[in-house]
Amino acid sequence: MREEWLNRIAITWCNRTKQRQLRQLLDRYGSATESIAHHPEMISRAAIEHAQKELDFIEKHSVQLYYYKDSNYPYRLAQCTDAPLLLYAKGNVEVNPKHVVSIVGTRMPSERGKDWCRQLVIDLASHIPDLTIVSGLAYGIDVIAHKAALESGIPTIIVPAHGLDRIYPATHRNVAVQALEKGGLLTEYTTGTEPERHNFVARNRIVAGVADAVVVVESKSKGGSLITAQMAQDYNRDVFALPGRFNDTCSAGCNDLIK
């Protein structure tokens, strides 16, 4: 089985921008090992070397792996046609809890937005059993949602735009460490992956796909939060938004969603 996991890591790492073709290949041959045997051009020596280092990291740091064909893969995310083929998790992550709410929003929220986000999580935690809060650990609404979940004693899952060998932003490391005790980190990226801009957009589909509902707390007329909301709508998830005054730029995106 180690060889199969090695090949799963190698082939997904080497073909990250060819997810649809790779899924077809894996479905056809039934395993990464057989897929590579029939199409050796799908991986490189560098991919194998990277996968070997990744497996060492996984074993050393007790990282959990979720492959899209396995029964323990997040079932909500599995419904999405563009779901990652392989996920990496750290902590006490329950990827299939009873209820999941993802909360996203601006990196520069108003005091009203901060207070509302925190109170929303507290209220949800008191009314919904087995609730998990999901977000991306970014400045602003993301980290406020994680902190509120921790304060409420409920699990929170962080979906970073990089591998599990780092935390970004570094100033939120303490929040990430606390989340490991009841929740944790879930990503499609291997170690060595930098938090580059396009990764943030890609990870939004995980934030949207693992949830039953997505809540947008303050957003300008354009931004990552609205991308997440659109993805959630495409996945037939419930989408909610905090309304704001018509002339508040930080609420323009939310008001547009409601409209």
Side-chain angles (χ1 to χ4, degrees):
M1 192 60 194
R2 181 182 171 85
E3 180 186 8
E4 174 63 14
W5 277 114
L6 179 76
N7 288 329
R8 288 175 180 179
I9 295 169
I11 199 169
T12 52
W13 180 78
C14 207
N15 297 275
R16 187 169 300 282
T17 60
K18 303 175 182 178
Q19 292 278 295
R20 189 178 300 276
Q21 301 96 308
L22 183 55
R23 183 186 290 266
Q24 293 173 347
L25 192 71
L26 293 168
D27 287 344
R28 177 180 180 184
Y29 293 108
S31 72
T33 303
E34 283 298 312
S35 298
I36 292 171
H38 286 83
H39 294 274
E41 75 280 1
M42 294 293 289
I43 65 167
S44 62
R45 179 182 295 274
I48 291 295
E49 292 175 352
H50 181 79
Q52 289 173 335
K53 292 179 181 178
E54 196 68 21
L55 269 182
D56 291 341
F57 178 88
I58 287 166
E59 293 169 354
K60 181 178 180 180
H61 296 279
S62 300
V63 173
Q64 298 96 51
L65 295 172
Y66 299 95
Y67 186 60
Y68 81 106
K69 286 178 173 289
D70 294 342
S71 60
N72 65 344
Y73 189 89
Y75 75 86
R76 296 174 178 87
L77 190 58
Q79 300 166 0
C80 309
T81 57
D82 58 349
L85 303 179
L86 186 59
L87 292 166
Y88 305 82
K90 176 70 175 173
N92 294 298
V93 178
E94 170 54 66
V95 295
N96 289 308
K98 190 172 181 179
H99 302 289
V100 184
V101 174
S102 289
I103 299 178
V104 296
T106 179
R107 285 170 167 76
M108 295 180 289
S110 67
E111 290 303 315
R112 172 177 177 266
K114 294 175 184 178
D115 293 342
W116 193 89
C117 179
R118 183 174 180 274
Q119 193 60 51
L120 172 67
V121 174
I122 293 172
D123 289 347
L124 288 175
S126 66
H127 287 86
I128 303 176
D130 303 316
L131 172 68
T132 294
I133 297 295
V134 174
S135 199
L137 198 65
Y139 291 105
I141 294 301
D142 283 23
V143 73
I144 292 169
H146 291 307
K147 288 180 177 179
L150 293 170
E151 292 170 7
S152 301
I154 62 172
T156 186
I157 295 177
I158 296 165
V159 184
H162 50 75
L164 297 177
D165 56 334
R166 67 194 69 201
I167 293 296
Y168 180 86
T171 52
H172 295 163
R173 176 172 293 277
N174 287 341
V175 177
V177 170
Q178 292 178 54
L180 294 177
E181 299 176 9
K182 199 170 185 179
L185 289 85
L186 181 69
T187 184
E188 66 179 306
Y189 297 110
T190 58
T191 56
T193 304
E194 299 286 345
E196 298 175 349
R197 184 174 183 177
H198 61 272
N199 292 346
F200 287 92
V201 176
R203 71 91 185 268
N204 288 346
R205 75 191 196 285
I206 301 177
V207 174
V210 299
D212 299 304
V214 172
V215 181
V216 183
V217 182
E218 294 189 335
S219 173
K220 294 183 178 180
S221 57
K222 294 182 180 180
S225 299
L226 297 186
I227 294 174
T228 305
Q230 183 60 59
M231 290 174 171
Q233 289 179 316
D234 292 342
Y235 298 153
N236 294 316
R237 304 298 193 257
D238 290 326
V239 177
F240 301 90
L242 173 66
R245 292 178 297 186
F246 74 92
N247 59 344
D248 284 344
T249 56
C250 64
S251 294
C254 290
N255 291 340
D256 287 343
L257 280 174
I258 294 168
K259 180 181 178 181

